[in-house]
Amino acid sequence: MSKKKVVLGVDIGGTNTKFGLVDREGNCLATSTMETASHRPPGHFFGRLHENSNRLLENIGEDCELAGVGIGAPNANFYKGTLENPPNLDWDYVDIRAEMGKYRPLPLAVTNDANAAALGEMFFGAARGMKDFIVITLGTGLGSGIVANGALIYGADGLAGEIGHTTVFPDGRLCKCGRLGCLETYASATGLCRTVQELFCNTMTPSELRSVCFRDLTAEMVYKAALGGDPLALEAFRFTGHVLGMKLADSVAHLSPEAIIFSGGLADAGDMVLEPARQAMEEQLFPIYRNKVKLIQTRLTQGNPAVLGAGALIWSVLEKEHAQTS
Amino acid sequence: MSKKKVVLGVDIGGTNTKFGLVDREGNCLATSTMETASHRPPGHFFGRLHENSNRLLENIGEDCELAGVGIGAPNANFYKGTLENPPNLDWDYVDIRAEMGKYRPLPLAVTNDANAAALGEMFFGAARGMKDFIVITLGTGLGSGIVANGALIYGADGLAGEIGHTTVFPDGRLCKCGRLGCLETYASATGLCRTVQELFCNTMTPSELRSVCFRDLTAEMVYKAALGGDPLALEAFRFTGHVLGMKLADSVAHLSPEAIIFSGGLADAGDMVLEPARQAMEEQLFPIYRNKVKLIQTRLTQGNPAVLGAGALIWSVLEKEHAQTS
């Protein structure tokens, strides 16, 4: 009897790395977490990942065969199998393919976390059956993964899909990337907090948040205040969604997607962000695109979406190879 | 002996329709032009097109077989084979597939003129061998065709690729599409003329163009003045290129193309537009994309680029079908 095939999905984050075994149907058979500890050399990390994932494989009870490894990480390059100056990690450059090759002679694919999220939605989530869609991850920053003609767009250098660093207002907020007016400085958890400050300054709107200093303010606090009816917090969400929607009209004009799917902490606020985004997007759309594009929340709420996405990444590569050789 | 295969490439314009026979190597074996005359019903047009293209086929001397028909036209829908509210044409809606079906039981493909231009570059021009690139047509308006993973992006509705209607300045110039600040209102022949007016108003810069009224001003006049050293005309070109480059940075953040290729009348001004565009794009790019993307002029200077593009469109469909059945 042939063994059941599973893949290892890995999500490398600034503090912790999540990993798990994912089957072709999108079931997470087992997951675990370890410290990323990027102050130590990459070799140390990949050694521990090897040991920990072996243990996971032994522990699941079923007799499974590991068919490949998918890794999602910031600034990961699909074509080269490398990490290049990843934000929030101490490593400058990591040749993941070489590091993993020391342990497992297995198919490997890496890409950034938002691209992995897009593949997760395509294989297991809200984008099943779609050939043209965009996934936007609204967390600390704004990430994006773009699928057209049924394939993820990696671009000429493997680094396509940084909608968070397109310009909304040419003389707008300073972004940590050094540019002015990036979408990410408005539509993200940090962008929401910056908007709250702007409303403190520009309006007289009363708010319980006025007693919180900038350094202590979090998106969760703004969300809770908004749920409680705080008018300034509600306005901050409305503006965040509005700016997001304005800019999505540009993405639609490039790609004409069937849907734009949102995941990440800020997306959990649901219509508090998505409804003003819908309105602003429709207002800003070139007429031929109006009333066509769905804005929806992720459906990857079972299991770990980032691990599922990394699993989908390597499944997508395995199936493409299979299609080419059969 | 098997006959040489050729396709019919058709470019439907507001005034005239150009058509020609194109072989797989991108040679235009014969071309001709007829009036579009869209004040008469579409059936009249397609009847004349059938007669005229038959005559072309008889006249080329070689014993050729017509393998398919490709048509480029504004607002043409690849998936449906239709024209929907085409600008500059009197027709509301044309079912091209049905109209052509009355005459020729041949493979047919339609798309907008900029998409056809992109396929022309991929098959016969500057994008040969590239899998990720964008073509921008700088004429009266700004059209675009986007190729990723070696395939043209049609999007979910067949209408993707309207970079001309992305927003540069949220409260900028009124566009004929009804929106404010569209790229096309700056980076196009008409945008250039509007910029000249803005410079008349905002600066004291002397210019021979100050004696020309708005209605009479053409992009060609601005170009000639710039060639003669007119400082205001030169500044108008610089600003046009600058705005174009600013916005191209957004397209790169979506798609990370290997190159952006320019065709159309305004692109003939070459570095007068492309050099400020390059500078502004590099300044505005998210750091990981800097110094990678080539901005180049079309190399489809032999024959009619629009006819070649329409020919490439149907060649691309024929080859995809061939690949799927073999």
Short mmCIF file of all heavy atoms in Angstrom, two decimals, chain A residues 21-67:
data_model
loop_
_atom_site.label_atom_id
_atom_site.label_comp_id
_atom_site.label_asym_id
_atom_site.label_seq_id
_atom_site.Cartn_x
_atom_site.Cartn_y
_atom_site.Cartn_z
N LEU A 21 2.24 19.68 9.09
CA LEU A 21 2.12 18.70 8.00
C LEU A 21 0.74 18.87 7.36
O LEU A 21 -0.28 18.84 8.04
CB LEU A 21 2.29 17.29 8.55
CG LEU A 21 3.67 17.06 9.20
CD1 LEU A 21 3.69 15.74 9.96
CD2 LEU A 21 4.77 17.09 8.14
N VAL A 22 0.74 19.08 6.06
CA VAL A 22 -0.49 19.43 5.35
C VAL A 22 -0.73 18.42 4.23
O VAL A 22 0.17 18.18 3.41
CB VAL A 22 -0.36 20.85 4.73
CG1 VAL A 22 -1.64 21.24 4.00
CG2 VAL A 22 -0.02 21.88 5.80
N ASP A 23 -1.93 17.84 4.19
CA ASP A 23 -2.21 16.91 3.08
C ASP A 23 -2.82 17.67 1.91
O ASP A 23 -3.04 18.88 1.98
CB ASP A 23 -3.07 15.73 3.56
CG ASP A 23 -4.51 16.13 3.89
OD1 ASP A 23 -4.93 17.24 3.52
OD2 ASP A 23 -5.20 15.31 4.53
N ARG A 24 -3.07 16.95 0.80
CA ARG A 24 -3.53 17.60 -0.43
C ARG A 24 -4.90 18.23 -0.29
O ARG A 24 -5.28 19.11 -1.06
CB ARG A 24 -3.49 16.59 -1.59
CG ARG A 24 -3.93 17.16 -2.92
CD ARG A 24 -3.05 18.34 -3.34
NE ARG A 24 -3.57 19.02 -4.52
CZ ARG A 24 -4.50 19.97 -4.49
NH1 ARG A 24 -5.04 20.34 -3.35
NH2 ARG A 24 -4.88 20.54 -5.61
N GLU A 25 -5.66 17.76 0.71
CA GLU A 25 -7.00 18.31 0.92
C GLU A 25 -6.99 19.53 1.83
O GLU A 25 -8.04 20.10 2.14
CB GLU A 25 -7.92 17.23 1.50
CG GLU A 25 -8.40 16.20 0.48
CD GLU A 25 -7.26 15.32 -0.02
OE1 GLU A 25 -6.48 14.81 0.82
OE2 GLU A 25 -7.11 15.20 -1.25
N GLY A 26 -5.79 19.91 2.30
CA GLY A 26 -5.71 21.08 3.16
C GLY A 26 -5.94 20.79 4.64
O GLY A 26 -6.21 21.71 5.41
N ASN A 27 -5.85 19.53 5.01
CA ASN A 27 -5.91 19.21 6.44
C ASN A 27 -4.53 19.39 7.06
O ASN A 27 -3.53 18.92 6.50
CB ASN A 27 -6.36 17.77 6.65
CG ASN A 27 -7.72 17.52 6.04
OD1 ASN A 27 -8.69 18.22 6.37
ND2 ASN A 27 -7.81 16.56 5.12
N CYS A 28 -4.50 20.07 8.19
CA CYS A 28 -3.27 20.22 8.95
C CYS A 28 -3.20 19.03 9.91
O CYS A 28 -3.92 19.00 10.92
CB CYS A 28 -3.30 21.52 9.73
SG CYS A 28 -1.97 22.62 9.31
N LEU A 29 -2.38 18.02 9.61
CA LEU A 29 -2.36 16.80 10.42
C LEU A 29 -1.67 17.04 11.76
O LEU A 29 -1.96 16.38 12.75
CB LEU A 29 -1.66 15.67 9.67
CG LEU A 29 -2.22 15.39 8.27
CD1 LEU A 29 -1.50 14.22 7.63
CD2 LEU A 29 -3.72 15.10 8.34
N ALA A 30 -0.74 17.97 11.78
CA ALA A 30 -0.05 18.30 13.03
C ALA A 30 0.65 19.63 12.84
O ALA A 30 1.12 19.94 11.74
CB ALA A 30 0.98 17.22 13.36
N THR A 31 0.70 20.44 13.87
CA THR A 31 1.43 21.70 13.78
C THR A 31 2.27 21.88 15.04
O THR A 31 2.00 21.29 16.08
CB THR A 31 0.49 22.93 13.68
OG1 THR A 31 -0.44 22.87 14.77
CG2 THR A 31 -0.24 22.96 12.38
N SER A 32 3.29 22.72 14.93
CA SER A 32 4.11 23.04 16.09
C SER A 32 4.72 24.42 15.88
O SER A 32 4.56 25.02 14.80
CB SER A 32 5.19 21.98 16.28
OG SER A 32 5.89 22.20 17.48
N THR A 33 5.38 24.91 16.89
CA THR A 33 5.99 26.24 16.84
C THR A 33 7.37 26.16 17.47
O THR A 33 7.59 25.38 18.40
CB THR A 33 5.13 27.24 17.64
OG1 THR A 33 3.82 27.27 17.07
CG2 THR A 33 5.71 28.64 17.58
N MET A 34 8.30 26.92 16.94
CA MET A 34 9.61 27.04 17.62
C MET A 34 10.06 28.50 17.52
O MET A 34 9.57 29.25 16.66
CB MET A 34 10.64 26.10 16.99
CG MET A 34 10.97 26.40 15.54
SD MET A 34 12.09 25.17 14.81
CE MET A 34 13.19 26.25 13.89
N GLU A 35 10.99 28.88 18.38
CA GLU A 35 11.52 30.24 18.27
C GLU A 35 12.34 30.38 17.00
O GLU A 35 13.11 29.48 16.65
CB GLU A 35 12.41 30.56 19.49
CG GLU A 35 11.60 30.94 20.71
CD GLU A 35 12.52 31.33 21.87
OE1 GLU A 35 13.65 31.79 21.62
OE2 GLU A 35 12.09 31.15 23.03
N THR A 36 12.20 31.49 16.32
CA THR A 36 13.01 31.71 15.12
C THR A 36 14.46 31.98 15.52
O THR A 36 15.39 31.43 14.92
CB THR A 36 12.45 32.88 14.28
OG1 THR A 36 11.08 32.60 13.98
CG2 THR A 36 13.23 33.07 13.00
N ALA A 37 14.67 32.80 16.54
CA ALA A 37 16.01 33.08 17.10
C ALA A 37 17.00 33.46 16.01
O ALA A 37 18.05 32.83 15.85
CB ALA A 37 16.52 31.87 17.90
N SER A 38 16.66 34.50 15.24
CA SER A 38 17.52 34.86 14.10
C SER A 38 18.79 35.58 14.52
O SER A 38 19.59 35.97 13.67
CB SER A 38 16.71 35.72 13.11
OG SER A 38 16.39 36.96 13.67
N HIS A 39 19.02 35.76 15.85
CA HIS A 39 20.33 36.28 16.28
C HIS A 39 21.40 35.20 16.14
O HIS A 39 22.58 35.49 16.14
CB HIS A 39 20.25 36.78 17.74
CG HIS A 39 19.82 35.72 18.71
ND1 HIS A 39 18.50 35.32 18.85
CD2 HIS A 39 20.54 34.96 19.58
CE1 HIS A 39 18.42 34.37 19.76
NE2 HIS A 39 19.64 34.12 20.23
N ARG A 40 20.99 33.93 16.02
CA ARG A 40 21.93 32.84 15.77
C ARG A 40 21.99 32.60 14.27
O ARG A 40 21.08 32.99 13.52
CB ARG A 40 21.48 31.58 16.50
CG ARG A 40 21.17 31.87 17.98
CD ARG A 40 21.01 30.63 18.78
NE ARG A 40 22.27 29.92 18.94
CZ ARG A 40 22.47 28.96 19.85
NH1 ARG A 40 21.49 28.61 20.67
NH2 ARG A 40 23.63 28.34 19.94
N PRO A 41 23.04 31.95 13.77
CA PRO A 41 23.18 31.79 12.32
C PRO A 41 22.05 30.93 11.74
O PRO A 41 21.45 30.11 12.45
CB PRO A 41 24.53 31.08 12.15
CG PRO A 41 25.13 30.94 13.49
CD PRO A 41 24.15 31.37 14.53
N PRO A 42 21.77 31.10 10.44
CA PRO A 42 20.69 30.35 9.80
C PRO A 42 20.85 28.83 9.96
O PRO A 42 19.85 28.12 10.11
CB PRO A 42 20.79 30.75 8.33
CG PRO A 42 21.51 32.04 8.32
CD PRO A 42 22.39 32.08 9.51
N GLY A 43 22.11 28.32 9.92
CA GLY A 43 22.34 26.88 10.03
C GLY A 43 21.72 26.31 11.29
O GLY A 43 21.18 25.19 11.28
N HIS A 44 21.81 27.06 12.36
CA HIS A 44 21.24 26.64 13.63
C HIS A 44 19.72 26.49 13.50
O HIS A 44 19.13 25.50 13.95
CB HIS A 44 21.60 27.68 14.70
CG HIS A 44 21.20 27.28 16.08
ND1 HIS A 44 20.04 27.71 16.68
CD2 HIS A 44 21.81 26.46 16.97
CE1 HIS A 44 19.96 27.20 17.89
NE2 HIS A 44 21.02 26.43 18.09
N PHE A 45 19.09 27.46 12.87
CA PHE A 45 17.64 27.43 12.68
C PHE A 45 17.21 26.21 11.87
O PHE A 45 16.30 25.47 12.25
CB PHE A 45 17.19 28.72 11.98
CG PHE A 45 15.74 28.71 11.56
CD1 PHE A 45 14.75 29.10 12.45
CD2 PHE A 45 15.37 28.29 10.28
CE1 PHE A 45 13.41 29.07 12.07
CE2 PHE A 45 14.04 28.26 9.90
CZ PHE A 45 13.06 28.66 10.78
N PHE A 46 17.89 25.98 10.74
CA PHE A 46 17.44 24.90 9.86
C PHE A 46 17.72 23.52 10.46
O PHE A 46 17.00 22.56 10.20
CB PHE A 46 18.02 25.07 8.45
CG PHE A 46 17.35 26.19 7.71
CD1 PHE A 46 17.93 27.46 7.65
CD2 PHE A 46 16.11 25.99 7.13
CE1 PHE A 46 17.28 28.50 7.00
CE2 PHE A 46 15.46 27.03 6.47
CZ PHE A 46 16.05 28.28 6.41
N GLY A 47 18.76 23.42 11.29
CA GLY A 47 19.00 22.18 12.03
C GLY A 47 17.84 21.87 12.97
O GLY A 47 17.32 20.75 13.01
N ARG A 48 17.41 22.89 13.72
CA ARG A 48 16.30 22.68 14.64
C ARG A 48 15.00 22.38 13.90
O ARG A 48 14.20 21.54 14.32
CB ARG A 48 16.11 23.92 15.54
CG ARG A 48 17.20 24.06 16.62
CD ARG A 48 16.90 25.25 17.53
NE ARG A 48 16.96 26.50 16.78
CZ ARG A 48 16.02 27.45 16.80
NH1 ARG A 48 14.95 27.30 17.54
NH2 ARG A 48 16.16 28.55 16.09
N LEU A 49 14.80 23.08 12.77
CA LEU A 49 13.59 22.83 11.99
C LEU A 49 13.55 21.38 11.52
O LEU A 49 12.50 20.72 11.57
CB LEU A 49 13.54 23.79 10.79
CG LEU A 49 12.33 23.64 9.86
CD1 LEU A 49 11.03 23.97 10.60
CD2 LEU A 49 12.46 24.52 8.63
N HIS A 50 14.70 20.87 11.09
CA HIS A 50 14.79 19.47 10.64
C HIS A 50 14.41 18.51 11.78
O HIS A 50 13.56 17.63 11.60
CB HIS A 50 16.21 19.20 10.15
CG HIS A 50 16.44 17.77 9.76
ND1 HIS A 50 15.82 17.19 8.68
CD2 HIS A 50 17.20 16.80 10.32
CE1 HIS A 50 16.20 15.92 8.58
NE2 HIS A 50 17.04 15.67 9.57
N GLU A 51 15.01 18.71 12.93
CA GLU A 51 14.72 17.83 14.07
C GLU A 51 13.25 17.90 14.47
O GLU A 51 12.59 16.88 14.68
CB GLU A 51 15.57 18.25 15.29
CG GLU A 51 17.02 17.80 15.22
CD GLU A 51 17.84 18.47 16.31
OE1 GLU A 51 17.28 18.75 17.41
OE2 GLU A 51 19.03 18.75 16.06
N ASN A 52 12.75 19.12 14.60
CA ASN A 52 11.38 19.29 15.07
C ASN A 52 10.35 18.74 14.09
O ASN A 52 9.34 18.18 14.50
CB ASN A 52 11.10 20.78 15.33
CG ASN A 52 11.80 21.28 16.57
OD1 ASN A 52 12.06 20.51 17.50
ND2 ASN A 52 12.15 22.56 16.59
N SER A 53 10.62 18.90 12.80
CA SER A 53 9.65 18.41 11.84
C SER A 53 9.71 16.88 11.74
O SER A 53 8.68 16.23 11.52
CB SER A 53 9.84 19.08 10.48
OG SER A 53 11.14 18.88 10.00
N ASN A 54 10.91 16.30 11.93
CA ASN A 54 11.00 14.84 12.00
C ASN A 54 10.14 14.30 13.14
O ASN A 54 9.44 13.30 12.99
CB ASN A 54 12.46 14.40 12.22
CG ASN A 54 13.19 14.23 10.90
OD1 ASN A 54 12.57 14.28 9.84
ND2 ASN A 54 14.50 14.06 10.97
N ARG A 55 10.23 14.97 14.27
CA ARG A 55 9.47 14.55 15.44
C ARG A 55 7.97 14.61 15.15
O ARG A 55 7.21 13.72 15.50
CB ARG A 55 9.83 15.46 16.63
CG ARG A 55 9.64 14.78 17.98
CD ARG A 55 10.33 15.58 19.08
NE ARG A 55 11.76 15.73 18.83
CZ ARG A 55 12.46 16.84 19.05
NH1 ARG A 55 11.85 17.93 19.51
NH2 ARG A 55 13.75 16.88 18.80
N LEU A 56 7.58 15.69 14.45
CA LEU A 56 6.18 15.85 14.09
C LEU A 56 5.71 14.68 13.22
O LEU A 56 4.64 14.12 13.43
CB LEU A 56 6.03 17.17 13.30
CG LEU A 56 4.76 17.98 13.45
CD1 LEU A 56 4.53 18.39 14.88
CD2 LEU A 56 4.86 19.23 12.58
N LEU A 57 6.55 14.32 12.25
CA LEU A 57 6.23 13.25 11.32
C LEU A 57 6.10 11.91 12.05
O LEU A 57 5.20 11.11 11.76
CB LEU A 57 7.33 13.18 10.25
CG LEU A 57 7.01 12.52 8.92
CD1 LEU A 57 5.83 13.17 8.24
CD2 LEU A 57 8.23 12.61 8.00
N GLU A 58 7.00 11.68 13.02
CA GLU A 58 6.94 10.43 13.79
C GLU A 58 5.68 10.37 14.65
O GLU A 58 5.10 9.31 14.86
CB GLU A 58 8.17 10.33 14.71
CG GLU A 58 9.45 9.97 13.97
CD GLU A 58 10.69 10.33 14.78
OE1 GLU A 58 10.56 10.55 16.01
OE2 GLU A 58 11.77 10.42 14.18
N ASN A 59 5.27 11.54 15.14
CA ASN A 59 4.21 11.56 16.14
C ASN A 59 2.78 11.47 15.59
O ASN A 59 1.86 11.26 16.35
CB ASN A 59 4.31 12.84 16.99
CG ASN A 59 5.47 12.76 17.95
OD1 ASN A 59 6.10 11.71 18.11
ND2 ASN A 59 5.79 13.88 18.60
N ILE A 60 2.62 11.67 14.27
CA ILE A 60 1.24 11.74 13.80
C ILE A 60 0.57 10.37 13.71
O ILE A 60 -0.62 10.27 13.46
CB ILE A 60 1.09 12.47 12.44
CG1 ILE A 60 2.00 11.85 11.39
CG2 ILE A 60 1.31 13.95 12.59
CD1 ILE A 60 1.73 12.39 9.99
N GLY A 61 1.38 9.28 13.91
CA GLY A 61 0.73 7.97 13.97
C GLY A 61 0.54 7.37 12.59
O GLY A 61 1.02 6.29 12.30
N GLU A 62 -0.08 8.10 11.68
CA GLU A 62 -0.29 7.59 10.32
C GLU A 62 1.05 7.37 9.63
O GLU A 62 2.02 8.06 9.90
CB GLU A 62 -1.08 8.61 9.51
CG GLU A 62 -2.57 8.45 9.59
CD GLU A 62 -3.24 9.35 8.56
OE1 GLU A 62 -3.47 10.54 8.86
OE2 GLU A 62 -3.52 8.87 7.46
N ASP A 63 1.08 6.44 8.71
CA ASP A 63 2.30 6.15 7.97
C ASP A 63 2.36 7.07 6.75
O ASP A 63 1.82 6.74 5.69
CB ASP A 63 2.31 4.68 7.57
CG ASP A 63 3.72 4.23 7.21
OD1 ASP A 63 4.68 4.94 7.56
OD2 ASP A 63 3.84 3.16 6.59
N CYS A 64 2.99 8.21 6.92
CA CYS A 64 2.98 9.23 5.87
C CYS A 64 4.36 9.39 5.24
O CYS A 64 5.38 9.12 5.86
CB CYS A 64 2.56 10.58 6.44
SG CYS A 64 0.83 10.64 6.90
N GLU A 65 4.33 9.85 3.99
CA GLU A 65 5.57 10.12 3.28
C GLU A 65 5.66 11.63 3.05
O GLU A 65 4.69 12.24 2.59
CB GLU A 65 5.54 9.40 1.93
CG GLU A 65 6.76 9.62 1.06
CD GLU A 65 6.52 9.10 -0.37
OE1 GLU A 65 5.47 8.47 -0.60
OE2 GLU A 65 7.38 9.36 -1.22
N LEU A 66 6.81 12.22 3.35
CA LEU A 66 6.98 13.65 3.17
C LEU A 66 7.35 13.92 1.70
O LEU A 66 8.40 13.48 1.23
CB LEU A 66 8.07 14.18 4.11
CG LEU A 66 8.10 15.69 4.32
CD1 LEU A 66 6.78 16.20 4.88
CD2 LEU A 66 9.25 16.07 5.25
N ALA A 67 6.48 14.65 1.00
CA ALA A 67 6.67 14.83 -0.44
C ALA A 67 7.40 16.12 -0.79
O ALA A 67 7.90 16.27 -1.91
CB ALA A 67 5.32 14.80 -1.15
#
